[in-house]
């Protein structure tokens, strides 16, 4: 009976090990899948920001236009790296956690099998004890019950040993998998952030080198030329121009950025934009 109680304690430890793994791995899988989805959504939002930057750049003076286009190109490159991050997280982190459920299911099946054999051992033991109490003189029946009890005990002992090896292997694999999955997670994040910092540094330098005064001079010169011509030719303006002077240009069509994203991210090809018509040229055409 002490052996049976010992096996009961052993199987409870095994069940607790599998149950804790099932619960924890399920939570890890859910959280890391959500992490990956949010990273993908961040990528999509950043892509929209890139498009808006290019659209705005098309309405600005040359220096700002060039600066924003270069900045948008760097930002798009970061999203290529983020796409690679998403793909690697799905492959090396989320999918292994999803597949872990099968290992847990198999281990639970082994525990269930052992519990069935152990229950049979307990049943044979109780039957033997009952015979000894009710019919102590019936040696033949008692002998048969003892034989059945011994077979059940041997079967339970063998199955218990097999289950112990199975759960030990499960525990070892679980610990190794936890180490590998989170090592892969950290490596993927480090690679992304290292590349992102490099590109963001370039983007920062691009913004820092912007020549604001040059654009202001260009803007003021154009504005003065337009208003100067308006003052010099009032009659022509009354007959050829609308009451509201169209001194700002319409935005050019927004270009579609199609980033070619691969696991090994290469240099991003920037989308070509249509040149913005110069204000001076438009003003001259208005007065012809």
């Amino acid at each position: 009976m002490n052996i049976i109680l010992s096996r009961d304690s052993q199987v409870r430890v095994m069940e607790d090990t599998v149950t804790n793994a099932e619960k924890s791995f399920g939570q890890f899988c859910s959280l890391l899948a959500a992490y990956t989805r949010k990273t993908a959504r961040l990528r999509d939002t950043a892509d929209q920001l890139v498009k808006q930057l290019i659209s705005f750049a098309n309405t600005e003076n040359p220096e700002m236009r060039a600066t924003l286009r270069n900045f948008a190109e760097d930002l798009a490159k970061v999203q290529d790296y983020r796409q690679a991050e998403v793909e690697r997280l799905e492959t090396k982190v989320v999918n292994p956690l999803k597949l872990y459920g099968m290992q847990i299911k198999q281990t639970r099946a082994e525990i269930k099998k052992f519990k069935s054999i152990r229950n049979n051992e307990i049943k044979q033991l109780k039957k033997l004890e009952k015979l000894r109490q009710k019919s102590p003189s019936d040696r033949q029946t008692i002998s048969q019950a003892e034989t059945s009890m011994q077979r059940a005990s041997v079967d339970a002992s063998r199955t218990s040993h097999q289950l112990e090896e199975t759960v030990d292997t499960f525990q070892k694999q679980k610990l190794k998998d936890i180490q590998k999955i989170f090592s892969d997670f950290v490596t993927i994040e480090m690679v992304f952030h290292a590349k992102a910092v490099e590109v963001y540094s370039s983007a920062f330098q691009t913004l820092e080198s912007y020549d604001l005064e040059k654009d202001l001079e260009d803007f003021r010169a154009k504005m003065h030329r337009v208003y100067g011509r308006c003052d010099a030719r009032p009659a022509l303006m009354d007959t050829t121009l609308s009451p509201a002077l169209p001194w700002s240009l319409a935005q050019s069509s927004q270009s579609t950025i199609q980033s070619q994203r691969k696991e090994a991210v290469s240099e991003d090809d920037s989308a070509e934009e249509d040149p913005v018509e110069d204000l001076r040229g438009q003003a001259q055409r208005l007065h012809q």
Side-chain angles (χ1 to χ4, degrees):
M1 192 66 182
N2 290 335
I3 295 176
I4 295 176
L5 293 175
S6 176
R7 289 171 184 162
D8 282 344
S9 299
Q10 187 181 42
V11 79
R12 278 196 297 271
V13 171
M14 295 176 181
E15 283 184 310
D16 288 344
T17 298
V18 175
T19 299
N20 290 337
E22 184 176 32
K23 180 180 178 181
S24 297
F25 274 70
Q27 291 174 338
F28 289 145
C29 184
S30 177
L31 290 170
L32 288 168
Y35 182 97
T36 302
R37 288 193 301 271
K38 288 181 179 180
T39 301
R41 286 198 292 270
L42 177 59
R43 172 207 61 204
D44 294 340
T45 302
D47 282 342
Q48 294 298 318
L49 175 58
V50 169
K51 293 178 182 179
Q52 184 60 37
L53 281 168
I54 293 175
S55 178
F56 177 73
N58 291 336
T59 68
E60 288 300 308
N61 296 101
E63 289 294 316
M64 176 58 75
R65 182 163 62 247
T67 296
L68 287 181
R69 284 181 176 179
N70 291 335
F71 174 66
E73 181 181 351
D74 283 339
L75 193 58
K77 189 180 295 184
V78 172
Q79 306 324 306
D80 290 341
Y81 293 141
R82 186 168 273 123
Q83 171 64 18
E85 175 194 15
V86 168
E87 292 174 356
R88 290 165 185 164
L89 285 172
E90 289 176 345
T91 301
K92 295 188 174 183
V93 176
V94 178
N95 287 342
L97 287 170
K98 287 181 179 178
L99 296 175
Y100 217 82
M102 183 59 66
Q103 299 181 38
I104 292 173
K105 184 177 180 180
Q106 292 172 350
T107 305
R108 280 198 178 280
E110 292 296 322
I111 293 175
K112 184 178 180 180
K113 177 183 176 181
F114 169 74
K115 289 173 73 174
S116 177
I117 293 173
R118 180 207 58 185
N119 289 339
N120 183 56
E121 180 186 23
I122 295 173
K123 179 181 177 181
Q124 295 299 327
L125 178 60
K126 289 181 177 179
K127 181 179 179 181
L128 176 61
E129 292 297 327
K130 186 177 180 180
L131 285 172
R132 285 174 175 171
Q133 291 176 3
K134 288 188 174 182
S135 306
S137 60
D138 191 351
R139 298 303 307 167
Q140 184 178 358
T141 304
I142 292 175
S143 177
Q144 291 175 350
E146 287 175 344
T147 301
S148 297
M149 170 60 192
Q150 289 174 357
R151 283 199 300 265
S153 181
V154 169
D155 195 15
S157 179
R158 183 181 66 254
T159 306
S160 176
H161 181 69
Q162 292 173 348
L163 180 61
E164 185 177 350
E165 291 180 346
T166 298
V167 176
D168 184 80
T169 301
F170 172 84
Q171 178 70 359
K172 181 179 179 180
Q173 188 64 45
K174 181 194 75 175
L175 298 176
K176 288 174 63 177
D177 287 344
I178 282 289
Q179 181 188 32
K180 185 177 188 308
I181 288 170
F182 283 101
S183 292
D184 286 341
F185 172 77
V186 171
T187 300
I188 291 166
E189 292 298 294
M190 285 194 300
V191 168
F192 165 73
H193 286 290
K195 291 182 177 179
V197 166
E198 181 180 350
V199 178
Y200 279 136
S201 297
S202 172
F204 180 81
Q205 292 301 322
T206 296
L207 294 171
E208 283 290 293
S209 62
Y210 166 62
D211 191 342
L212 182 147
E213 291 300 326
K214 189 172 181 179
D215 265 352
L216 279 177
E217 290 175 6
D218 183 69
F219 170 75
R220 289 164 181 166
K222 291 175 182 177
M223 185 172 63
H224 290 161
R225 281 195 296 271
V226 170
Y227 280 104
R229 290 171 185 260
C230 289
D231 293 340
R233 303 174 62 185
L236 181 59
M237 291 297 293
D238 288 341
T239 59
T240 61
L241 294 181
S242 61
L245 180 65
W247 60 277
S248 62
L249 289 175
Q251 294 185 354
S252 61
S253 299
Q254 180 175 294
S255 299
T256 302
I257 299 177
Q258 296 179 342
S259 300
Q260 300 298 323
R261 290 168 173 153
K262 300 179 181 178
E263 186 169 328
V265 181
S266 60
E267 289 295 325
D268 182 59
D269 296 326
S270 301
E272 292 295 330
E273 304 293 336
D274 294 332
V276 178
E277 184 180 2
D278 189 86
L279 285 171
R280 181 189 305 171
Q282 185 179 12
Q284 289 176 350
R285 286 197 301 276
L286 291 171
H287 296 293
Q288 288 178 354

